[in-house]
Amino acid sequence: MSESVNLPALGESVTEGTVTRWLKNVGDRVEVDEPLLEVSTDKVDTEIPSPIAGVVEEILVQEDETVEVGTPLVKIGDGASGGSSDDSANDDAAPNEAAAEESEPEAAPSTEQESETPAPQPTEPEPAPAGQTQPAAPAAPSAPPAAAPVPQAAPVPPPAAAPAPPAAVPAPAAAVSSAPTASASVPNPTQTGAASGYVTPLVRKLANEQGVDLSTVTGTGVGGRIRKEDVLAAVSAAPAAGGSAAPAAASGPFVAEVSPLRGTREKMTRLRKVVAERAVQSMTSTAQLTSVVEVDVTKVAQFRDAHKAEFLEKTGSKLSFMPFFALAASEALKAHPKINSTVEGDEIVYPETENVSIAVDTERGLLTPVIKDAASLDLAQFSKSIADLAERTRNNQLKPDELAGGTFTLTNTGSRGALFDTPVVFLPQSAILGTGIVTKRPAVVKVDGQEAIAIRSFVYLALSYDHRIIDGADASRYLVAVKNRLEEGNFAPNLGY
């Protein structure tokens, strides 16, 4: 006996959703509350857990299909009807896996690449058959990794020594020859060993930058997905290897990284489409411009250095610059409500609270979870809220309502090294504040009434705003209020412990 699982309500104003990826195939066992599929709406991408335990008997809605709330998605039974369930699972697995890859922002691989998924090392076993023609061939089946045949080929007399050098190189060539139609996957020879764990372009890029072989990384995400945290953990687990590689890299010429997306084509995700449509709508419906101020945050840096160890011990959160910026920005909104306002028809609406959206860069695109009533929070609460929202946003665990209701946005453009930016205001909000990277440089300061040169910490704050209701003077007054609060540096009463 089977039971249908329907698309649940994903928020007050959400009426439909698009199935972006099935995490289970026909014939797979699923437990209660285990992630079953991923659904994208105009507000959030989220995982749908299974309300019942059983075996997936039939998938009713395919990937990239959009259905209304309440539509049956899948049938789950006890598996009793499935004498042929294994066959159906095998038949359906490949299309589902291929569709899953196409629905994510990657170069679309061919079905030949998917057929290699169950193999632990899909590219490296290629040299093994060739090694069978050599005297050392019997060792190849018992030692699948390509590294094993190479050292055995070294002591063999000249006839076997010739194939030894190619044995270290054939992996890319073999991948090309064995899958001539999978041109999109050719730039990714080192990562195909991790095909059993889902790898996004951002994670692959990070792995390339850090010199991590993804075939050696175990994914901790849903369905074996390799996440950014897994790559960073692999880097920290092998500090010696990284240290020894540095001198070699310094001695050789610079080699620019080649992205696996180069020369390929990918389908836009639903989230990317929504962001694109809203950005264009916002830019064509509003009059946007940006004002920038430079802020001396030396006192903030000194205060942070003096308290960050105690802060971590008492709150469990790291004290970065972001909570200071969020606190100063939120406090200034109370005194300058125009920056926190919205337009409804021919009226300007001034909300009762300051609900600050925090821009979070994820593998799926930009999302902006909301901190409600932000002006009432202290540094500890801001630090905890920002870290929690960022983590759950990147792990696809946000509730749709946590992305709604923002009245103002804060984006840390300096987290990737930008000096400052001119961020885009997204309707219905009227302003967004971008914080650049904090840098040290010489500056002229007053010491005992005399001018002197000292090393100071600076940051640029860029406020983009809707000129329909916010004038340049309004924006400047707001920015100066935030600047004065930060340069004063009196945050001891706002620690929160």
Side-chain angles (χ1 to χ4, degrees), residues 132-144:
Q132 292 177 1
T133 61
Q134 305 302 327
S142 60

Side-chain angles (χ1 to χ4, degrees), residues 34-59:
E34 185 179 1
L36 187 59
L37 72 158
E38 291 180 356
V39 172
S40 174
T41 71
D42 58 354
K43 288 187 176 181
V44 68
D45 288 4
T46 186
E47 294 173 348
I48 304 298
S50 176
I52 57 176
V55 176
V56 177
E57 293 185 349
E58 183 180 1
I59 291 177

Side-chain angles (χ1 to χ4, degrees), residues 280-340:
V280 172
Q281 178 189 6
S282 184
M283 291 297 291
T284 56
S285 303
T286 62
Q288 297 192 22
L289 67 160
T290 304
S291 294
V292 182
V293 294
E294 182 183 58
V295 184
D296 185 339
V297 291
T298 304
K299 290 184 179 180
V300 174
Q302 293 170 346
F303 181 88
R304 173 176 171 266
D305 289 341
H307 291 86
K308 61 183 180 181
E310 182 184 19
F311 189 89
L312 178 60
E313 178 183 353
K314 292 189 176 183
T315 68
S317 301
K318 294 182 178 180
L319 184 59
S320 65
F321 283 100
M322 194 63 176
F324 294 95
F325 298 149
L327 188 147
S330 301
E331 287 181 348
L333 289 176
K334 294 194 296 183
H336 302 275
K338 278 190 177 181
I339 311 301
N340 196 49

Side-chain angles (χ1 to χ4, degrees), residues 81-144:
S81 61
S84 60
S85 61
D86 291 339
D87 294 335
S88 62
N90 293 333
D91 292 339
D92 292 343
N96 281 333
E97 291 170 0
E101 293 294 333
E102 292 172 359
S103 68
E104 297 290 341
E106 282 194 77
S110 70
T111 54
E112 292 184 23
Q113 182 184 15
E114 292 301 325
S115 66
E116 296 173 356
T117 299
Q121 296 86 15
T123 56
E124 296 180 351
E126 291 295 337
Q132 292 177 1
T133 61
Q134 305 302 327
S142 60

Side-chain angles (χ1 to χ4, degrees), residues 99-464:
E101 293 294 333
E102 292 172 359
S103 68
E104 297 290 341
E106 282 194 77
S110 70
T111 54
E112 292 184 23
Q113 182 184 15
E114 292 301 325
S115 66
E116 296 173 356
T117 299
Q121 296 86 15
T123 56
E124 296 180 351
E126 291 295 337
Q132 292 177 1
T133 61
Q134 305 302 327
S142 60
V150 175
Q152 294 189 17
V156 178
V169 184
V176 175
S177 61
S178 63
T181 61
S183 59
S185 62
V186 171
N188 187 27
T190 60
Q191 280 79 23
T192 52
S196 58
Y198 175 68
V199 183
T200 66
L202 287 178
V203 172
R204 184 179 298 116
K205 177 182 178 181
L206 177 63
N208 288 336
E209 292 174 347
Q210 299 295 334
V212 175
D213 183 359
L214 288 179
S215 65
T216 65
V217 178
T218 301
T220 60
V222 176
R225 177 187 299 180
I226 296 178
R227 302 163 53 221
K228 179 178 68 174
E229 290 77 5
D230 300 326
V231 176
L232 295 177
V235 173
S236 60
S244 62
S251 62
F254 173 77
V255 179
E257 175 191 350
V258 178
S259 169
L261 297 180
R262 186 169 181 255
T264 65
R265 181 179 297 191
E266 67 180 15
K267 184 178 180 181
M268 291 177 68
T269 64
R270 179 178 174 85
L271 177 60
R272 176 52 57 191
K273 290 179 183 178
V274 170
V275 171
E277 291 170 359
R278 290 184 174 177
V280 172
Q281 178 189 6
S282 184
M283 291 297 291
T284 56
S285 303
T286 62
Q288 297 192 22
L289 67 160
T290 304
S291 294
V292 182
V293 294
E294 182 183 58
V295 184
D296 185 339
V297 291
T298 304
K299 290 184 179 180
V300 174
Q302 293 170 346
F303 181 88
R304 173 176 171 266
D305 289 341
H307 291 86
K308 61 183 180 181
E310 182 184 19
F311 189 89
L312 178 60
E313 178 183 353
K314 292 189 176 183
T315 68
S317 301
K318 294 182 178 180
L319 184 59
S320 65
F321 283 100
M322 194 63 176
F324 294 95
F325 298 149
L327 188 147
S330 301
E331 287 181 348
L333 289 176
K334 294 194 296 183
H336 302 275
K338 278 190 177 181
I339 311 301
N340 196 49
S341 64
T342 59
V343 177
E344 291 185 6
D346 58 355
E347 294 183 338
I348 301 176
V349 179
Y350 301 97
E352 294 181 357
T353 59
E354 293 72 34
N355 300 332
V356 177
S357 302
I358 303 295
V360 179
D361 177 31
T362 74
E363 297 172 0
R364 295 167 287 118
L366 183 68
L367 292 171
T368 53
V370 180
I371 298 177
K372 303 294 177 63
D373 198 11
S376 66
L377 304 184
D378 53 39
L379 291 174
Q381 292 169 325
F382 267 119
S383 180
K384 182 178 180 180
S385 297
I386 292 172
D388 172 65
L389 287 175
E391 177 69 17
R392 291 193 293 116
T393 299
R394 295 188 177 105
N395 291 337
N396 231 0
Q397 296 174 342
L398 276 185
K399 299 176 182 177
D401 292 339
E402 291 180 298
L403 289 164
T407 59
F408 177 82
T409 296
L410 186 62
T411 177
N412 185 15
T413 57
S415 63
R416 295 295 182 267
L419 192 61
F420 71 91
D421 198 0
T422 56
V424 175
V425 181
F426 279 80
L427 291 171
Q429 297 180 17
S430 298
I432 178 173
L433 181 66
T435 62
I437 187 173
V438 177
T439 58
K440 289 184 178 181
R441 67 172 186 271
V444 177
V445 297
K446 284 287 186 73
V447 179
D448 296 330
Q450 301 294 321
E451 291 184 343
I453 296 178
I455 302 299
R456 310 290 290 181
S457 295
F458 288 96
V459 67
Y460 286 107
L461 302 182
L463 180 75
S464 293

